[in-house]
């Protein structure tokens, strides 16, 4: 007999006999999980957690590290020369031409060291640079993908194929939500286009209750969240109860656990009707706070490529997202993804990277200061990342203002949440082509983030298609970066 039919055919006596000892334990576990005393995954929480929440900035498109972080005077000295053949032999590129030559940063870029740590930043990031001694800069991050879609998936889900849970989903699956009236994982985006699409915040094969919830910056925070005009709370409550009862009948027939997740998503939406609108209401924030984040900044004029230019109001919207992120983690949201783009500068590099950097620098700097002033930074991990960097070569010999995709070395940084501040980890060669010390795979970054939350990346898994899947790769070794953990 099929196990499902055997289960459905249990007698009342056998059911009570076999489950009597477990009912009390199940109730206790449910209460403990509701209070977040236990993680959803037994055994995953194996270290003392240093971080309780995370704000992850994802700069879609691959920012040029040579315009922001990587001070390479040798690249300027050698500009116009072809790269040594040994460097490009066997490498794959998206658009790079065979006659491409080394490209110096725009002449208007100047680099200086900040803080006691002497961390390098360009003049495009003056506000973030003020927090150099809070920041751990990863100078030699590598990935195994050179095109946007798979590289974004690797950066956010650990896998270059769709259908896998994102980092935020894994954390919520492992630790659960703190505020039962808000999602544990929220997504805010001002990017004009994301190659990875909704897969970047999907729960993949783990329960759908752990997916990222996209919040709108204006109007209803979640589309269709509020009931239609004339429908009272009592009527909606009756509707949900009826729907839940029908779903329970359906679940009994199909034994599909995803039906329970569907019920819970409906219930969360109902609870959010009261709290989510207050969450995005900034009327209680002071004028000084709004000014500090830059919510009133107009978009400057720029010659962006039409398909990649951020939507109108990008400067103000990104600033609002940063302020909302602070409010969300104060309310118990565990993971906030903030997407910005597009940094895919195959041309127009000089003007476009300046436009985008100026747009994100002030709000991120304000957020770091705000978190620090409120005593939140110690337990809030802030991550700035992307899918890959840009080549030290110009894209073609004719195009002296664009760079191709470069997976072999790029920059990310972290702050707060148990990270050592004032650390520059990893080094690249004189032209920024390859790591020469402490190369950091994206999977190592993921393992480090989980460790900061007290999770062993090898223990946090989910059975799918006959394999205990996890965020980090199954086929190669990944390790937390112990040197950067406080």
């Amino acid at each position: 007999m099929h196990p499902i039919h055997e289960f459905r055919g249990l007698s009342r006596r056998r059911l009570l006999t076999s489950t009597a000892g477990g009912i009390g334990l199940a109730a206790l576990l449910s209460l403990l999980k509701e209070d977040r005393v236990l993680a959803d995954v037994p055994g995953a929480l194996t270290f003392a957690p240093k971080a309780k929440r995370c704000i992850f900035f994802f700069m879609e498109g691959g920012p040029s590290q040579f315009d922001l972080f990587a001070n390479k005077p040798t690249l300027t000295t050698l500009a116009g020369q072809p790269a040594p053949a040994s460097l490009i032999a066997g490498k794959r590129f998206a658009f790079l031409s065979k006659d491409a030559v080394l490209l110096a940063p725009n002449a208007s870029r100047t680099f200086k060291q900040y803080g006691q740590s002497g961390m390098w930043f360009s003049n495009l990031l003056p506000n973030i640079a003020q927090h150099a001694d809070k920041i751990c800069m990863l100078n030699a991050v590598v990935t195994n993908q050179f095109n946007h879609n798979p590289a974004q998936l690797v950066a956010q889900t650990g896998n270059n194929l769709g259908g896998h849970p994102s980092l935020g989903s894994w954390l919520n699956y492992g630790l659960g939500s703190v505020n039962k009236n808000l999602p544990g994982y929220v997504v805010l985006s001002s990017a004009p286009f994301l190659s990875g699409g909704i897969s970047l915040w999907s729960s993949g094969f783990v329960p759908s209750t752990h997916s990222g919830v996209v919040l709108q910056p204006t109007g209803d925070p979640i589309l269709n969240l509020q009931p239609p005009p004339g429908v009272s709370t009592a009527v909606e409550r009756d509707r949900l109860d009826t729907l839940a009862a029908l779903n329970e009948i359906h679940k009994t027939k199909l034994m599909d656990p995803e039906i329970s997740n569907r019920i819970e998503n409906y219930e969360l939406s109902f609870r959010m009707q009261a709290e989510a609108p207050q969450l995005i209401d900034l009327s209680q924030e002071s004028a000084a706070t709004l000014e500090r984040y830059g919510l009133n900044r107009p978009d400057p004029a720029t010659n962006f490529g039409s398909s990649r230019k951020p939507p109108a109001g990008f400067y103000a919207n990104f600033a609002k997202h940063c302020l909302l992120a602070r409010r969300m983690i104060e309310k118990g949201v565990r993971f906030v993804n903030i997407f910005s783009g597009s940094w895919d500068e195959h041309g127009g590099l000089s003007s476009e990277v300046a436009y985008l950097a100026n747009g994100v620098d002030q709000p991120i700097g304000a957020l770091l200061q705000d978190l620090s002033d409120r005593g939140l930074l110690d337990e809030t991990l802030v991550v700035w990342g992307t899918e890959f960097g840009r080549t030290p070569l110009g894209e073609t010999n004719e195009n002296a203002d664009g760079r191709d995709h470069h997976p072999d070395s790029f920059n990310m940084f972290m702050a707060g949440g148990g990270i050592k501040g004032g650390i520059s980890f990893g080094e690249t060669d004189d032209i920024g082509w390859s790591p020469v010390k402490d190369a950091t795979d994206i999977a190592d970054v993921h393992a480090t983030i989980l460790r900061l939350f007290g999770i062993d990346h090898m223990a946090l898994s989910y059975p799918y298609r006959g394999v205990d899947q996890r965020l980090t790769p199954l086929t190669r070794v990944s390790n937390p970066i112990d040197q950067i953990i406080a």
Side-chain angles (χ1 to χ4, degrees):
M1 181 183 292
H2 192 281
I4 289 181
H5 297 304
E6 182 180 5
F7 176 81
R8 291 176 62 189
L10 286 176
S11 67
R12 185 179 65 171
R13 181 184 299 277
R14 183 180 173 191
L15 174 66
L16 293 175
T17 301
S18 61
T19 60
I23 290 175
L25 179 60
L28 175 61
L29 290 174
S30 177
L31 289 171
L32 289 173
K33 283 186 177 182
E34 187 169 320
D35 291 335
R36 311 321 306 158
V37 177
L38 292 180
D40 288 344
V41 188
L45 197 64
T46 54
F47 305 98
K50 297 177 180 293
K52 293 183 177 178
R53 50 211 166 239
C54 178
I55 301 172
F56 195 121
F57 291 98
F58 192 80
M59 307 289 112
E60 180 276 329
S64 167
Q65 67 272 32
F66 302 107
D67 287 82
L68 302 176
F69 311 108
N71 180 36
K72 298 293 180 182
T74 302
L75 184 59
T76 300
T77 302
L78 299 178
Q81 299 184 24
S86 59
L87 284 183
I88 60 177
K91 299 292 184 181
R92 300 179 70 188
F93 300 96
F95 301 104
L96 196 70
S97 95
K98 63 181 180 180
D99 59 351
V101 296
L102 295 170
L103 176 65
N106 184 274
S108 64
R109 309 284 183 263
T110 58
F111 283 83
K112 60 182 287 188
Q113 293 175 286
Y114 287 81
Q116 294 182 351
S117 60
M119 191 174 293
W120 288 99
F121 289 91
S122 86
N123 58 335
L124 294 183
L125 300 175
N127 292 285
I128 295 175
Q130 298 302 317
H131 302 280
D133 291 335
K134 302 185 184 83
I135 287 172
C136 171
M137 182 67 68
L138 303 177
N139 293 309
V141 184
V142 298
T143 183
N144 58 7
Q145 301 295 322
F146 67 94
N147 277 327
H148 293 290
N149 188 303
Q152 288 176 16
L153 290 172
V154 167
Q156 286 290 304
T157 74
N159 196 289
N160 66 334
L161 299 175
H164 288 256
S166 63
L167 170 61
S169 296
W170 276 114
L171 279 173
N172 276 278
Y173 165 63
L175 299 176
S177 180
V178 177
N179 186 336
K180 66 179 183 180
N181 295 327
L182 290 174
Y185 177 14
V186 171
V187 177
L188 300 164
S189 178
S190 58
F193 175 73
L194 292 168
S195 295
I198 62 173
S199 294
L200 301 180
W201 54 84
S202 167
S203 62
F205 45 73
V206 304
S208 59
T209 50
H210 303 297
S211 289
V213 175
V214 180
L215 259 65
Q216 312 297 317
T218 58
D220 288 342
I222 296 179
L223 297 178
N224 304 314
L225 179 66
Q226 297 300 325
V231 176
S232 68
T233 300
V235 169
E236 189 179 11
R237 179 69 266 171
D238 287 343
R239 286 180 173 179
L240 283 176
D241 290 342
T242 301
L243 183 61
L246 292 172
N247 275 323
E248 286 290 351
I249 295 171
H250 195 48
K251 185 180 74 171
T252 302
K253 292 180 179 180
L254 298 182
M255 296 297 176
D256 182 0
E258 183 58 28
I259 296 175
S260 295
N261 298 324
R262 188 181 305 162
I263 296 171
E264 175 52 32
N265 281 329
Y266 285 138
E267 292 297 327
L268 174 61
S269 297
F270 181 75
R271 296 192 300 269
M272 285 179 63
Q273 290 178 7
E275 192 151 352
Q278 299 174 14
L279 184 66
I280 66 167
D281 180 8
L282 303 182
S283 62
Q284 295 183 351
E285 298 287 345
S286 69
T289 297
L290 301 181
E291 182 69 22
R292 186 165 62 250
Y293 276 84
L295 267 74
N296 298 318
R297 299 178 304 164
D299 294 342
T302 186
N303 295 321
F304 239 103
S306 59
S307 64
R308 295 181 289 109
K309 184 176 182 180
F314 163 64
Y315 272 48
N317 281 338
F318 187 85
K320 185 174 184 179
H321 289 168
C322 290
L323 181 52
L324 286 174
R326 189 217 78 205
R327 292 169 64 88
M328 288 174 188
I329 61 104
E330 285 181 310
K331 291 289 188 179
V333 174
R334 189 175 299 283
F335 194 93
V336 181
N337 250 150
I338 302 180
F339 291 90
S340 159
S342 172
W343 298 76
D344 189 24
E345 291 100 5
H346 293 279
L349 175 66
S350 298
S351 60
E352 293 180 11
V353 72
Y355 177 90
L356 290 164
N358 291 334
V360 305
D361 174 59
Q362 180 179 335
I364 294 177
L367 175 64
L368 289 171
Q369 189 62 54
D370 208 357
L371 293 174
S372 182
D373 291 344
R374 292 168 181 265
L376 295 170
L377 188 59
D378 287 346
E379 294 182 337
T380 302
L381 178 65
V382 178
V383 182
W384 187 101
T386 183
E387 64 258 42
F388 42 57
R390 315 303 293 194
T391 60
L393 298 165
E395 189 158 303
T396 68
N397 196 26
E398 295 80 18
N399 181 7
D401 199 26
R403 301 182 189 271
D404 201 5
H405 310 163
H406 194 60
D408 289 359
S409 183
F410 58 102
N411 286 66
M412 294 180 64
F413 71 76
M414 304 183 193
I419 283 291
K420 290 181 181 177
I423 298 292
S424 291
F425 186 79
E427 296 178 14
T428 58
D429 57 39
D430 288 344
I431 61 171
W433 187 276
S434 301
V436 295
K437 180 182 178 182
D438 294 328
T440 304
D441 192 276
I442 284 288
D444 298 328
V445 175
H446 289 161
T448 303
I449 292 173
L450 293 183
R451 172 67 68 86
L452 291 169
F453 278 85
I455 297 173
D456 181 353
H457 74 101
M458 298 288 286
L460 181 61
S461 62
Y462 190 87
Y464 180 67
R465 292 184 175 176
V467 178
D468 285 340
Q469 305 279 354
R470 61 175 190 258
L471 172 64
T472 52
L474 299 174
T475 56
R476 53 191 172 88
V477 177
S478 309
N479 294 297
I481 313 167
D482 293 327
Q483 299 96 314
I484 70 174
I485 298 176

